[in-house]
Amino acid sequence: MHEFSTMQGIVSAIREEGRKHNAKAITKVWLEIGELTFLGEEQLRFAFDVLTEGTEMEGAELIIQKVEPKIRCECGYEGKVNYGEKEEFHIQFPILRCPVCGNNVEIVSGKECLIKNIEIEV
Ligand SMILES: [Zn+2]
């Protein structure tokens, strides 16, 4: 489970940070997750609950901010990614090509998986 191992890293980084500040409890966590990480929010929340149970982070509020993908092309285009749909699977997938000229593009954002902020009790 991709979400579980990702959240494991996040939770241990946060607890480490809490220890540095002698936190009695960690009460709120803000994460920034890019849509191109394909991490499911529900699975992330589930992993968060499981991993924080019985720790100083138990019951902390988890705020997930999604980051829209953004691409940049040599032709000067910079902006949103178009999505295509595979009808047989009913899934949407990002098209990582320039909507103007069709070239391959550079991904500017959408792959982040960051701890933006935490709130602690000391
Ligand atoms: Zn282009």
Side-chain angles (χ1 to χ4, degrees):
M1 212 157 90
H2 190 33
E3 283 84 2
F4 205 84
S5 56
T6 303
M7 194 48 91
Q8 223 159 13
I10 291 171
V11 166
S12 80
I14 293 170
R15 296 187 67 192
E16 175 78 40
E17 195 59 31
R19 274 193 290 274
K20 269 190 231 163
H21 294 94
N22 295 316
K24 262 192 291 178
I26 291 154
T27 49
K28 215 164 170 179
V29 174
W30 286 262
L31 300 181
E32 212 174 75
I33 309 281
E35 283 179 12
L36 295 177
T37 60
F38 300 105
L39 293 164
E41 187 171 334
E42 252 175 70
Q43 288 92 324
L44 284 174
R45 289 186 181 282
F46 174 75
F48 184 82
D49 286 347
V50 171
L51 289 162
T52 57
E53 206 185 316
T55 73
E56 72 283 8
M57 273 180 83
E58 186 169 356
E61 192 183 340
L62 177 63
I63 294 151
I64 296 177
Q65 288 169 308
K66 290 278 179 90
V67 182
E68 262 192 46
K70 210 171 148 194
I71 53 173
R72 187 190 293 145
C73 177
E74 281 182 349
C75 76
Y77 176 83
E78 191 175 327
K80 284 187 180 178
V81 173
N82 284 334
Y83 282 80
E85 194 170 347
K86 279 214 187 298
E87 271 180 42
E88 63 268 46
F89 303 120
H90 297 286
I91 50 162
Q92 289 226 321
F93 59 92
I95 302 167
L96 297 177
R97 282 187 180 282
C98 176
V100 179
C101 70
N103 269 330
N104 287 326
V105 289
E106 185 194 330
I107 295 166
V108 184
S109 67
K111 293 179 104 173
E112 38 287 270
C113 180
L114 302 169
I115 303 160
K116 281 293 275 188
N117 204 0
I118 62 172
E119 195 178 88
I120 60 172
E121 243 169 58
V122 286

